[in-house]
Amino acid sequence: MKKFLKRAALVCGALVAVLVLAVGGYIGYLQLQYYRIEDGIPLEVVTPQEATLQTDTPYTAISCNLGFGAYGPEYSFFMDTGVMEDGTPTQGIYGKARSQEDVLANTTLALETLQPLDADFLLFQEVDRDSHRSYQVDQREMVSEAFPGYGYTWAENFHSGYLAYPLNDHHGAVTAGLLTLTRYSVSDAVRRSYPIDDNFFIKFTDLDRCFSVMRLSVEGTDRQLVLIHSHMSAYDSGGIIRAQQLELLCQVLEEEYAAGNYVIVGGDFNHALYGTELAFPSQQQFPGWVQSLGDSDLPEHFSFVQADNGFSVPTCRGADIPYEKGVNYTTVVDGFAVSDNVIAKAENLDTDFAFSDHNPVQLTFELAA
């Protein structure tokens, strides 16, 4: 019996040692794979266009978070949590899309929804390239092929080693970014890095957050349209990192306006915009991740463009449970802010979250002479 117990102890010790080495090796692998993209990297304009913007001329821009093609109505995401009205806790299930077919179908539906709108600018977030979570579907290629006659820039904001979590549905390795398309001539484009949470584990699962800055000449003026495409942090307890990100964004807005430029910033702000925190019916408690943004948070001369239907059509649903209208918590986190030399109105496009956990937003604007 003593020999048996001794051997059992040795076997258990060996297994523990192997497990420790495996976990340590995996963490070391993630650390070796991890890096932050430098701030201020110039972006290539692919298939550049030649047309020039005019003053007092209507243009349209659309912001759309593709959610890496995963978020059909039946989808829930493992990092999202919530609480039902009766106190029941909820948490999403999936670490990646349910299938490659889902990714293709959701991405195709998004593109087919937006193509007839014939927008001049398109701002897409959570666009995947060669990622396990989207079964290696190249969404950047799908989008660019769906919109010929546009130049585009790509700003990478998620690059991870293989994330073996959740254990039953690995998120895998990810390459994703912000894709910005335009029909007009771009003189310069650059990627700006947002501050992020550098917690040892969070940095592997959150995005390398950024915004892109695209400059376009305006005929007959010495001004430029500065189009900023932004995707701020979501998983940020207390909103500390988001406050730092907003500070940087506002600094850039102030500098560009002081230089006499027209400025538009659009994308996924991951904050409830212009008072929509409790605008929509829900059977869930108010979630802890929600922070608010309004005009008072922006520099002088800037304001959010409140959608005409902004209090009847939300743009983001909670992904801790599958989507059911009136059940999930919803709010408006997507949209645009403009300088006061841009005349603009917006509309939230009601797709009822058919292909993403976001609804697109369309901006119609003119540059004042």
Side-chain angles (χ1 to χ4, degrees):
M1 179 60 71
K2 289 183 179 180
K3 287 184 178 180
F4 173 78
L5 292 175
K6 186 176 181 180
R7 289 176 180 174
L10 289 172
V11 170
C12 289
L15 290 174
V16 170
V18 169
L19 180 61
V20 169
L21 286 172
V23 172
Y26 176 66
I27 292 173
Y29 154 76
L30 287 178
Q31 184 63 50
L32 288 171
Q33 292 287 314
Y34 178 80
Y35 64 95
R36 280 227 68 190
I37 299 174
E38 293 180 14
D39 187 26
I41 292 180
L43 299 175
E44 178 188 5
V45 181
V46 182
T47 62
Q49 303 299 297
E50 296 182 358
T52 306
L53 293 169
Q54 313 282 328
T55 58
D56 297 329
T57 301
Y59 299 102
T60 56
I62 291 175
S63 176
C64 180
N65 187 320
L66 290 179
F68 63 92
Y71 290 81
E74 66 291 328
Y75 189 79
S76 63
F77 187 56
F78 78 101
M79 288 185 69
D80 286 5
T81 60
V83 181
M84 303 304 292
E85 284 181 329
D86 64 4
T88 302
T90 55
Q91 182 165 2
I93 296 173
Y94 300 103
K96 58 180 179 293
R98 299 196 312 162
S99 68
Q100 186 181 75
E101 290 72 22
D102 272 10
V103 175
L104 292 169
N106 290 327
T107 307
T108 298
L109 181 56
L111 299 177
E112 290 176 347
T113 300
L114 300 182
Q115 283 171 322
L117 300 176
D118 199 30
D120 299 293
F121 301 88
L122 294 149
L123 287 64
F124 290 99
Q125 304 92 46
E126 294 195 40
V127 181
D128 270 16
R129 300 184 63 204
D130 193 24
S131 300
H132 286 95
R133 66 181 186 176
S134 51
Y135 297 87
Q136 281 74 44
V137 171
D138 191 337
Q139 290 182 301
R140 188 179 81 167
E141 182 178 13
M142 289 183 68
V143 173
S144 61
E145 288 181 352
F147 293 96
Y150 290 74
Y152 69 84
T153 62
W154 168 261
E156 190 172 298
N157 71 349
F158 198 0
H159 50 89
S160 74
Y162 190 92
L163 298 173
Y165 195 82
L167 297 178
N168 63 331
D169 191 35
H170 295 177
H171 198 61
V174 177
T175 301
L178 305 176
L179 184 60
T180 313
L181 289 79
T182 174
R183 285 176 164 151
Y184 294 89
S185 176
V186 177
S187 59
D188 180 68
V190 65
R191 180 194 184 280
R192 295 298 310 273
S193 294
Y194 271 133
I196 62 168
D197 192 332
D198 60 2
N199 177 283
F200 185 76
F201 289 102
I202 291 177
K203 71 181 183 180
F204 297 129
T205 56
D206 197 11
L207 285 67
D208 194 343
R209 300 283 179 175
C210 73
F211 59 96
S212 62
V213 181
M214 183 181 285
R215 298 179 180 277
L216 300 95
S217 298
V218 181
E219 188 170 313
T221 78
D222 57 359
R223 297 177 172 184
Q224 295 177 314
L225 169 61
V226 178
L227 178 64
I228 298 173
H229 183 182
S230 173
H231 190 185
M232 298 176 73
S233 287
Y235 305 103
D236 173 28
S237 178
I240 297 171
I241 299 300
R242 281 181 284 185
Q244 296 175 11
Q245 294 175 354
L246 182 62
E247 182 180 4
L248 173 60
L249 179 62
C250 288
Q251 177 186 330
V252 173
L253 298 182
E254 287 181 314
E255 290 172 354
E256 294 300 342
Y257 187 83
N261 292 322
Y262 306 97
V263 186
I264 297 174
V265 53
D268 179 354
F269 291 88
N270 268 318
H271 291 71
L273 302 180
Y274 50 80
T276 55
E277 297 91 332
L278 297 171
F280 307 100
S282 166
Q283 294 179 21
Q284 294 189 289
Q285 296 182 18
F286 188 73
W289 66 265
V290 176
Q291 304 287 325
S292 303
L293 271 185
D295 290 351
S296 62
D297 298 300
L298 297 175
E300 186 181 3
H301 306 294
F302 284 86
S303 61
F304 285 103
V305 185
Q306 179 177 314
D308 293 341
N309 59 352
F311 283 82
S312 57
V313 177
T315 71
C316 179
R317 71 164 177 95
D320 51 303
I321 56 175
Y323 176 64
E324 185 177 350
K325 191 178 182 67
V327 176
N328 301 63
Y329 175 79
T330 58
T331 188
V332 173
V333 305
D334 307 87
F336 295 86
V338 301
S339 52
D340 59 12
N341 50 9
V342 178
I343 304 163
K345 63 179 182 178
E347 178 185 3
N348 296 340
L349 304 179
D350 191 1
T351 70
D352 202 26
F353 303 107
F355 52 76
S356 175
D357 58 331
H358 292 254
N359 280 325
V361 181
Q362 179 173 262
L363 181 77
T364 303
F365 68 94
E366 294 184 18
L367 308 177

